[in-house]
Amino acid sequence: MKVKKYDVFVIGSGAAGRTVAKACVKGGLTVGMADKREYGGTCANRGCDPKKVLLGATEVIELSANLMGKGIKAVPGISWKKLMQYKGQFTLAVPRTTEEDLKTLGISLYHQSPKFLDEQTLSVEGKTVRADKIIIATGYEPRNLHFKGSKHLKSSDDFLSQKKLPKKITFIGAGYVGMEFAHIAARAGAKVTVIDSGKRPLKAFDADLVEGLRSYSKELGIDFVFNAKITKVEKARKKVKVFYRKKGKLESLASNVVFNTAGRVPAISTLQLEKGKVAFNENGIETNDYLQSISNTGVYACGDVSDKGLPLTPLSGIEGKVVAINVLEGNKEKMQVPVTPSVVYTLPNLASVGYSEEEATSRYKNVEVKFESVPSWFNARRVNAPVYAYKIILNQRTRKIVGAHLLGPNAGETINLFAMAIGQGMTAEQIKQTVFTYPSWSNDIKSMV
Ligand SMILES: Cc1cc2nc3c(=O)[nH]c(=O)nc-3n(C[C@H](O)[C@H](O)[C@H](O)COP(=O)(O)OP(=O)(O)OC[C@H]3O[C@@H](n4cnc5c(N)ncnc54)[C@H](O)[C@@H]3O)c2cc1C
Ligand SMILES: NC(=O)c1ccc[n+]([C@@H]2O[C@H](COP(=O)([O-])OP(=O)(O)OC[C@H]3O[C@@H](n4cnc5c(N)ncnc54)[C@H](O)[C@@H]3O)[C@@H](O)[C@H]2O)c1
């Protein structure tokens, strides 16, 4: 059988895969790429970007609700249909423009999941393809839940493309996706319940600030069920019923739609990795410091699907660059996971960078923890924001900031200043000496440290 040969074959067209493919083709290599879905990846098609467009409309609701009676006469309503049309202006063209961009550079495109036939050979679209280097950049996909009736659950993709907003919605999973979507849906007018097997939402975030977010979410009308073991889901006419066990008691709750937001797992199940001798674990493809497979030197992995770093868009791009350098120049660049800020786009935002209180306490002899709730500060008061809190962690000996955790309006932006401060090893005094605009959220960080 005829074999099609490339220097590099990239699986996945998200931020990670595109970065590698473009750099390699610009570096003079022949490149092929496959994606089994629409080109452009999760972030641009069905993740960060469309989510944040929907969030924009809910920001108007939050701001006006807080200023009701303080100069604002009415809280506007959301037309879900119109909002989805607006969202489409950001997403609909992504697959086409991505393909055009990649094709113009000379990259050959395939539209199916490849399967490894051996360490260097793939089968895709009925063709046999051999490449010196195969790059796995397939990202994450929703975790399958294994109770009876789980086929009735919808995914985050469905949430971001639903034409009508259901009246009653349940989210299974109070992580990033569940919490962000719960806030969007509640502000857009749905009755929302979030159910989780754990004891609190957003386990990776500071417990004190998460408690502030949980309690404000409750005021917004979002119901929570924690420590719940879901036993089955049943569909009956217009309702979907979730059955769960809590404290030994069997309970149920009915809604129009139930979304599975119970986490995401490496998208590797259709690749036949065993045939390619590519080792993997539950975090993804097992890689060395060069993001090269530990078991097949002809394979690299980057983005969410590699076992390094957090599954976030900025890191996928960075990992893509590292792989491109190592493919083009022969393992020259080690992946060093940088200081990475992260934000949950609820309103208020919950944002975090650096060490948690627990990590800092176990790492340094003396830490100073500044934790305060400050809705009385001018910036919060001027927009009548009811929630504004921070927890800043300093190494007492060096006075360097080692962790910052924020809950409040604009926290997703303000956290970037702390990312810079931690990355550059700045002390509290250096931050205080810096001149910021006034009055601004950024300027508040001087008082926080
Ligand atoms: C709802 C949601 C909201 C998010 N919001 C944010 C946010 O605000 N900020 C942030 O930083 N991150 C966010 N993320 C995470 C972010 O989307 C990912 O970290 C990022 O997209 C990862 O990029 P990637 O290139 O590694 O993978 P992806 O963008 O997932 O790209 C992987 C590509 O590989 C393809 N693929 C998968 N399997 C195969 C296969 N077998 N064969 C061929 N192709 C395959 C997929 O179709 C996809 O196009 C969000 C994720 C979700 C789901
Ligand atoms: N703003 C952002 O940067 C952003 C937004 C969305 C997603 N992401 C990325 O995507 C990743 C996945 O996010 P996610 O929200 O899907 O997952 P997650 O891991 O953040 O949360 C999943 C939640 O589901 C719960 N859960 C798991 N199994 C369950 C079950 N059987 N029953 C009930 N609850 C169950 C877990 O306890 C957890 O609270 C994140 O780690 C993040 O890296 C980032």
Side-chain angles (χ1 to χ4, degrees):
M1 189 198 267
K2 217 174 140 211
V3 176
K4 179 81 192 149
K5 289 196 177 129
Y6 295 100
D7 294 323
V8 179
F9 196 91
V10 181
I11 314 176
S13 68
R18 290 198 311 276
T19 306
V20 182
K22 286 182 177 185
C24 288
V25 84
K26 284 176 187 166
L29 303 182
T30 55
V31 179
M33 179 184 260
D35 201 303
K36 65 177 180 179
R37 296 190 57 177
E38 58 275 32
Y39 268 65
T42 304
C43 188
N45 283 306
R46 48 187 182 272
C48 340
D49 295 356
K51 180 257 320 269
K52 215 164 169 193
V53 175
L54 303 188
L55 182 82
T58 65
E59 284 169 339
V60 178
I61 307 279
E62 174 67 3
L63 196 55
S64 29
N66 288 341
L67 286 172
M68 261 297 276
K70 294 182 166 54
I72 291 294
K73 281 195 196 158
V75 179
I78 284 184
S79 157
W80 188 261
K81 196 173 147 208
K82 288 264 161 61
L83 181 57
M84 289 312 253
Q85 282 166 2
Y86 185 52
K87 183 221 72 172
Q89 292 182 21
F90 295 83
T91 52
L92 292 175
V94 169
R96 181 179 51 78
T97 54
T98 308
E99 289 204 29
E100 279 169 7
D101 182 31
L102 296 167
K103 270 191 212 151
T104 307
L105 290 168
I107 299 168
S108 313
L109 303 183
Y110 297 80
H111 298 83
Q112 198 185 53
S113 173
K115 287 183 171 66
F116 276 87
L117 297 177
D118 63 36
E119 282 159 89
Q120 271 189 296
T121 317
L122 299 165
S123 162
V124 58
E125 289 181 7
K127 300 178 186 87
T128 303
V129 167
R130 190 162 296 149
D132 288 341
K133 301 284 185 258
I134 295 173
I135 318 300
I136 304 176
T138 49
Y140 270 10
E141 61 194 7
R143 178 199 311 282
N144 283 326
L145 293 172
H146 295 291
F147 40 74
K148 205 173 147 205
S150 57
K151 64 171 190 271
H152 301 304
L153 304 179
K154 303 278 181 193
S155 69
S156 60
D157 298 3
D158 298 320
F159 180 85
L160 290 170
S161 56
Q162 57 191 344
K163 292 203 171 72
K164 269 172 102 180
L165 184 72
K167 280 205 176 87
K168 243 181 134 188
I169 300 179
T170 298
F171 294 98
I172 299 180
Y176 283 82
V177 178
M179 290 299 287
E180 291 181 343
F181 286 2
H183 271 235
I184 290 171
R187 286 197 176 84
K191 177 70 200 133
V192 174
T193 305
V194 186
I195 180 164
D196 199 292
S197 50
K199 63 175 192 274
R200 69 168 176 103
L202 298 160
K203 281 183 230 38
F205 286 81
D206 180 80
D208 292 316
L209 297 188
V210 167
E211 179 45 29
L213 177 62
R214 189 205 58 77
S215 113
Y216 186 59
S217 309
K218 188 100 187 72
E219 279 174 40
L220 189 66
I222 298 171
D223 287 335
F224 289 98
V225 184
F226 292 109
N227 298 308
K229 185 174 168 30
I230 296 170
T231 52
K232 64 174 175 179
V233 169
E234 270 178 11
K235 195 167 161 60
R237 303 188 70 216
K238 286 188 174 168
K239 288 275 158 81
V240 185
K241 226 171 174 185
V242 177
F243 292 83
Y244 60 93
R245 197 168 280 285
K246 188 176 157 89
K247 289 185 184 159
K249 254 177 76 186
L250 193 62
E251 302 192 34
S252 71
L253 77 104
S255 40
N256 303 102
V257 183
V258 182
F259 291 97
N260 170 4
T261 53
R264 296 172 60 81
V265 295
I268 50 178
S269 60
T270 57
L271 296 172
Q272 288 189 177
L273 292 177
E274 295 80 2
K275 289 206 173 152
K277 300 204 168 45
V278 181
F280 60 92
N281 60 35
E282 59 178 20
N283 295 321
I285 308 292
E286 292 185 41
T287 58
N288 61 20
D289 288 346
Y290 301 99
L291 296 177
Q292 186 175 35
S293 156
I294 58 159
S295 52
N296 176 348
T297 55
V299 168
Y300 289 79
C302 50
D304 286 3
V305 77
S306 85
D307 63 353
K308 304 276 183 300
L310 288 170
L312 295 173
T313 293
L315 283 182
S316 292
I318 292 170
E319 290 187 20
K321 274 189 197 143
V322 169
V323 168
I325 292 170
N326 291 334
V327 168
L328 285 161
E329 300 175 33
N331 288 359
K332 262 211 168 147
E333 184 95 351
K334 287 188 178 178
M335 176 65 198
Q336 272 151 358
V337 180
V339 174
T340 308
S342 167
V343 50
V344 185
Y345 286 110
T346 46
L347 298 176
N349 296 168
L350 175 65
S352 169
V353 64
Y355 295 125
S356 66
E357 190 175 348
E358 295 73 28
E359 285 166 337
T361 330
S362 66
R363 219 175 165 93
Y364 304 107
K365 212 166 159 202
N366 295 305
V367 291
E368 192 177 328
V369 179
K370 294 166 184 283
F371 169 42
E372 215 183 340
S373 172
V374 287
S376 58
W377 283 8
F378 173 76
N379 278 310
R381 214 149 49 84
R382 108 191 140 74
V383 288
N384 199 32
V387 182
Y388 192 27
Y390 65 87
K391 188 179 276 187
I392 308 299
I393 302 157
L394 282 122
N395 177 344
Q396 228 169 26
R397 186 179 61 80
T398 60
R399 302 286 299 151
K400 285 185 180 173
I401 317 288
V402 296
H405 310 274
L406 310 177
L407 177 67
N410 219 44
E413 300 290 339
T414 313
I415 201 71
N416 293 322
L417 292 174
F418 281 109
M420 205 170 347
I422 295 174
Q424 300 306 314
M426 286 176 82
T427 62
E429 284 62 37
Q430 284 170 324
I431 288 182
K432 283 185 183 168
Q433 282 157 15
T434 311
V435 179
F436 294 111
T437 52
Y438 181 85
S440 61
W441 298 101
S442 310
N443 195 57
D444 282 353
I445 78 167
K446 290 190 191 190
S447 308
M448 293 180 187
V449 301

